[in-house]
């Protein structure tokens, strides 16, 4: 292991003009400090990926790249989403560093644990996950929906790290393995643990957002969670079969009840046996068709094999 590895920090940005000057300054200071203490190479860098921002994000990235020694920039041709923007940075710069660290631009992930990640990497660890100690900064709603998300992933047999988002270090050989994944429906929190190799975790307290607004409201978080489930588990399809058996058993009970009610004369003949199964089975069928349609839609996206992103500009 190189005693002074080249380390790159990759941060996707979408409309982060308010926070970006502070983020780049803090990360640049961390890299300069680690290089001064001979923990990493002076060639180490941070790259900010502009994911089709509509504000001044790219102009700030260009300005910071000119003023700060360790800052680089990558501009995508359009908005492709957080996961694809992150992948663009990882794949583009994987051959220029011994390891890459992914981190969000909002400064909620504590940059001070970057040193801990590098120490574990230098000891032979290929993946180091940044894991939150607790969720005291979250609202009651967000904290409980997050817990529900991880429990759902566990039920669906999706291999992810509890309380880990996208704050992680990956060695070059992990990144080379990641580049072989050609899927369009990206869920890096599930893909990277599935690669294998030696891994470890560092724990940190998640901070308040420095400025700006979250780019992941509930609607996007719910879509992200559903994408993770359907990208890594066929359990919902198995659930359709389970629901079918439950309905069959329920219908047997309803048949017995309908015959008993008809015999006692408590209902209008034919009403119970017609209306209840019709509404119940209709709703279940729509539910099952929706799940099957979701998987068919993913197959449709994958078989087209369209490029996941296009790079517009790069600044070093």
């Amino acid at each position: 292991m190189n005693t002074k590895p080249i380390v790159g920090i990759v941060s996707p940005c979408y409309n982060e003009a308010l926070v970006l000057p502070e983020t780049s300054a803090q990360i640049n200071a961390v890299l300069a400090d680690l290089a001064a203490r001979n923990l990493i190479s002076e060639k180490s860098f941070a790259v900010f990926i502009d994911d089709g921002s509509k504000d001044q994000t790219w102009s700030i990235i260009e300005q910071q790249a000119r003023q700060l020694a360790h800052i680089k920039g990558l501009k995508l041709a359009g908005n492709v989403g957080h996961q694809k923007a992150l992948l663009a940075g990882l794949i583009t710069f994987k051959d220029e560093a011994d390891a890459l660290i992914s981190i969000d631009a909002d400064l909620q992930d504590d940059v001070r644990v970057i040193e801990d990640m590098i120490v574990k990497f230098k000891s032979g660890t290929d993946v180091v996950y940044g894991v939150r100690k607790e969720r005291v900064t979250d609202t009651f709603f967000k904290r409980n929906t997050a817990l529900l998300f991880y429990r759902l992933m566990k039920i669906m047999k999706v291999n992810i790290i509890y309380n880990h988002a996208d704050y992680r270090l990956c060695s070059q050989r992990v990144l080379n393995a990641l580049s072989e994944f050609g899927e369009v429906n990206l869920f890096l929190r599930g893909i990277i643990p599935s690669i294998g190799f030696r891994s470890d975790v560092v724990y940190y307290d998640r901070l308040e957002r420095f400025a700006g607004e979250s780019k992941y409201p509930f609607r996007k978080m719910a879509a992200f969670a559903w994408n993770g489930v359907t990208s890594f588990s066929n359990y919902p399809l198995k659930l359709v079969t389970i629901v079918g058996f439950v309905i069959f058993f329920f219908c047997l009970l309803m048949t017995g009840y309908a015959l008993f009610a008809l015999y006692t004369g408590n209902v209008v003949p034919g009403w119970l046996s017609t209306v209840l199964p019709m509404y119940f089975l209709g709703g279940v069928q729509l539910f099952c068709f929706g799940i099957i349609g979701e998987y068919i839609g993913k197959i449709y996206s994958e078989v087209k094999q369209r490029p996941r992103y296009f790079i517009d500009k790069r600044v070093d």
Side-chain angles (χ1 to χ4, degrees):
M1 176 66 65
N2 187 355
T3 57
K4 295 175 61 175
I6 300 175
V7 175
I9 299 177
V10 178
S11 182
C13 307
Y14 178 70
N15 292 343
E16 297 287 6
L18 293 178
V19 72
L20 198 51
E22 180 65 21
T23 303
S24 58
Q26 287 195 23
I27 291 179
N28 188 76
V30 168
L31 291 175
D33 176 65
L34 294 174
R37 291 190 284 132
N38 293 319
L39 292 176
I40 61 175
S41 170
E42 294 181 355
K43 296 180 181 179
S44 298
F45 59 89
V47 56
F48 293 95
I49 299 96
D50 179 15
D51 182 25
S53 298
K54 296 179 175 61
D55 60 3
Q56 300 301 312
T57 294
W58 178 245
S59 61
I60 294 174
I61 292 174
E62 288 184 310
Q63 180 184 13
Q64 299 288 37
R66 290 192 297 266
Q67 295 177 351
L68 302 177
H70 300 282
I71 303 300
K72 300 183 180 183
L74 191 71
K75 179 177 175 59
L76 302 183
N79 177 247
V80 296
H82 179 274
Q83 296 288 282
K84 292 179 182 179
L86 177 55
L87 181 72
L90 295 175
I91 299 303
T92 302
F93 291 91
K94 68 181 179 66
D95 295 325
E96 301 180 26
D98 298 303
L100 293 178
I101 299 174
S102 58
I103 185 173
D104 289 341
D106 55 17
L107 289 178
Q108 289 190 278
D109 297 323
D110 192 350
V111 297
R112 291 174 293 184
V113 300
I114 289 176
E115 179 176 345
D116 298 331
M117 290 183 171
I118 293 171
V119 170
K120 290 181 180 292
F121 166 68
K122 293 173 72 172
S123 69
T125 304
D126 285 291
V127 184
V128 184
Y129 299 102
V131 176
R132 296 175 61 169
K133 292 180 182 178
E134 51 190 354
R135 290 182 169 270
V136 294
T137 59
D138 288 349
T139 62
F140 175 83
F141 177 77
K142 187 173 183 179
R143 179 167 58 252
N144 285 277
T145 53
L147 292 175
L148 178 63
F149 166 74
Y150 286 108
R151 289 174 182 172
L152 178 63
M153 289 296 177
K154 185 176 181 180
I155 293 173
M156 298 296 177
K157 312 299 182 184
V158 181
N159 182 24
I160 63 172
I161 308 299
Y162 182 74
N163 266 350
H164 163 72
D166 286 298
Y167 190 19
R168 70 180 76 87
L169 177 148
C170 293
S171 68
Q172 192 176 72
R173 67 171 180 164
V174 171
L175 296 170
N176 287 332
L178 177 62
S179 66
E180 296 183 19
F181 285 77
E183 55 203 75
V184 174
N185 299 286
L186 289 173
F187 186 67
L188 295 177
R189 299 183 197 182
I191 291 177
I192 292 177
S194 72
I195 293 176
F197 296 122
R198 180 180 172 183
S199 65
D200 204 342
V201 301
V202 295
Y203 295 95
Y204 69 98
D205 292 314
R206 191 163 171 83
L207 309 174
E208 294 286 349
R209 184 180 177 89
F210 182 80
E213 298 179 352
S214 172
K215 305 306 183 297
Y216 265 87
F218 175 74
R219 178 180 59 83
K220 285 190 175 181
M221 285 299 298
F224 181 72
W226 181 243
N227 181 59
V229 170
T230 54
S231 294
F232 272 85
S233 174
N234 62 355
Y235 190 85
L237 291 175
K238 295 180 181 179
L239 183 63
V240 172
T241 303
I242 295 172
V243 170
F245 278 112
V246 171
I247 292 173
F248 176 72
F249 179 74
F250 181 76
C251 286
L252 289 179
L253 295 179
M254 288 296 297
T255 300
Y257 175 75
L259 291 175
F260 176 77
L262 181 63
Y263 176 77
T264 57
N266 292 329
V267 295
V268 176
W271 181 86
L272 185 65
S273 60
T274 301
V275 175
L276 287 184
M278 180 177 65
Y279 281 101
F280 182 71
L281 291 176
V284 171
Q285 285 176 345
L286 289 175
F287 169 74
C288 295
F289 286 151
I291 291 179
I292 296 172
E294 180 72 21
Y295 279 92
I296 293 175
K298 287 188 177 296
I299 295 172
Y300 175 68
S301 298
E302 297 293 343
V303 298
K304 288 187 293 185
Q305 296 185 339
R306 290 180 177 176
R308 292 171 290 192
Y309 55 83
F310 290 101
I311 296 174
D312 184 11
K313 298 177 183 176
R314 172 174 171 168
V315 58
D316 294 306

